[in-house]
Amino acid sequence: MEVRIDPYSGCCNGVRRAIRTAEEYLESNGRLYCLGAIVHNGAEIGRLAGNGLVTVDYPELPSLCGKTLMIRAHGEPPSTYEAAARYGIRLIDCTCPVVLALQEKIRATYSEIRETGGRIVIFGKPGHAEVNGLVGQTGGEALVVECADDLDRLVSVGRIDTSARVALFSQTTKDPDEYGKIRERLMELVPASMCMVYDTICRQVSSRHARLEQFAEECSAVLFVAGKESSNGKVLYELCRKANPRTFLVESIADIPADMLRPDDIVGICGATSTTRWQLEKIAGYLNNL
């Protein structure tokens, strides 16, 4: 059996930065609170929890007076910063620079078009932490869509006025091809002169799609490593599975059945933007020792 690790897989820059910041703080202070899971990856959360990282949710904010709280790479809406100031919470803001720039662009565009009835539309997963932060830049007024059919529905019920400007953005980790379909449908529904479409998918994420597809095709079997809660993981896993039907979604060594792989396989190991390099290497080491 030959085992290959995709050289482009592993945590994206924003997540790596957040993890590194947490590690450095914990080394000196021993305890750090994080608002929501620092990464959608149970194994990595467990490792950091062992070092003193405590994951908290919004109802717990009042109890954190005087404590230090990390804002993860996904970012947060303005209301979170207001709550932190109100409760006397010190913040370590690890919002990914790409996400931060997107938040600022949405906030500025919303301010520009709101007076004339314009709408902000975001292609993303409703309820996702990053999406919540983006919608928060518009005071909750932005509309979230997951597919082109959602646009049709919003137009039919009058929530999108086709005579007013519509600004389309994407969650940074979404599928570029799916975003293209939504963009095309929007321009069929709304006059081109009224459409404002922004390319806001992270370059590191978008370039990974083509590379990952090629990697999957070059292998006879693929182990895609990702947490079940990873939105990006679900997208990239499906991409691999279409390129190579013998693609298996795993979180750890325990998810690899003995009969899944063959002795003559070329096994590719890859993962989501929330998958750490050490996890990929651990699975590779296990396979190499079979």
Side-chain angles (χ1 to χ4, degrees), residues 8-275:
Y8 300 103
S9 284
C11 290
C12 63
N13 292 335
V15 172
R16 277 204 304 269
R17 172 174 167 262
I19 291 173
R20 183 173 63 251
T21 300
E23 289 173 330
E24 291 172 353
Y25 184 91
L26 290 169
E27 187 174 346
S28 302
N29 299 275
R31 177 65 60 90
L32 174 64
Y33 297 88
C34 183
L35 185 56
I38 190 172
V39 60
H40 292 143
N41 180 331
E44 182 65 356
I45 290 173
R47 184 186 73 85
L48 291 169
N51 293 334
L53 185 69
V54 180
T55 302
V56 298
D57 210 340
Y58 299 99
E60 297 169 78
L61 291 181
S63 68
L64 297 181
C65 179
K67 303 291 196 301
T68 300
L69 178 71
M70 168 179 278
I71 301 296
R72 55 189 171 169
H74 297 90
E76 286 291 325
S79 58
T80 297
Y81 295 89
E82 294 164 3
R86 186 163 62 251
Y87 298 128
I89 299 170
R90 295 187 296 270
L91 292 179
I92 296 177
D93 194 344
C94 286
T95 302
C96 171
V98 176
V99 174
L100 187 61
L102 174 54
Q103 288 181 346
E104 293 172 351
K105 182 62 178 177
I106 287 177
R107 186 165 60 249
T109 305
Y110 175 67
S111 177
E112 176 188 344
I113 69 176
R114 61 182 297 190
E115 296 297 331
T116 56
R119 275 288 191 183
I120 300 290
V121 177
I122 299 169
F123 169 46
K125 180 182 179 182
H128 187 279
E130 181 189 325
V131 174
N132 290 342
L134 300 179
V135 173
Q137 307 307 314
T138 69
E141 292 295 319
L143 301 173
V144 181
V145 300
E146 292 190 273
C147 61
D149 288 345
D150 287 345
L151 287 175
D152 291 320
R153 177 179 54 80
L154 291 169
V155 169
S156 68
V157 299
R159 298 200 66 194
I160 293 179
D161 181 355
T162 57
S163 66
R165 285 191 289 177
V166 179
L168 179 65
F169 297 86
S170 175
Q171 179 182 335
T172 60
T173 55
K174 295 299 282 183
D175 183 346
D177 292 336
E178 288 300 315
Y179 188 43
K181 293 175 185 176
I182 289 174
R183 179 177 63 245
E184 290 173 9
R185 184 56 183 154
L186 178 65
M187 299 188 77
E188 291 172 354
L189 294 168
V190 179
S193 60
M194 306 302 285
C195 287
M196 306 164 68
V197 179
Y198 298 95
D199 180 7
T200 57
I201 294 177
C202 174
R203 295 295 183 194
Q204 188 180 2
V205 173
S206 61
S207 64
R208 186 172 293 190
H209 282 245
R211 290 169 174 167
L212 196 57
E213 187 174 24
Q214 181 179 350
F215 177 77
E217 289 173 347
E218 292 172 349
C219 301
S220 58
V222 176
L223 297 184
F224 188 88
V225 187
K228 292 184 174 63
E229 300 303 315
S230 172
S231 176
N232 170 257
K234 292 172 184 175
V235 171
L236 294 181
Y237 164 67
E238 288 299 328
L239 179 74
C240 283
R241 195 174 61 82
K242 288 178 182 177
N244 186 332
R246 290 187 65 220
T247 295
F248 307 96
L249 179 62
V250 302
E251 284 194 84
S252 66
I253 291 170
D255 297 324
I256 308 174
D259 60 351
M260 180 183 286
L261 304 172
R262 300 189 289 256
D264 60 344
D265 269 331
I266 298 175
V267 183
I269 301 174
C270 53
T273 55
S274 56
T275 304

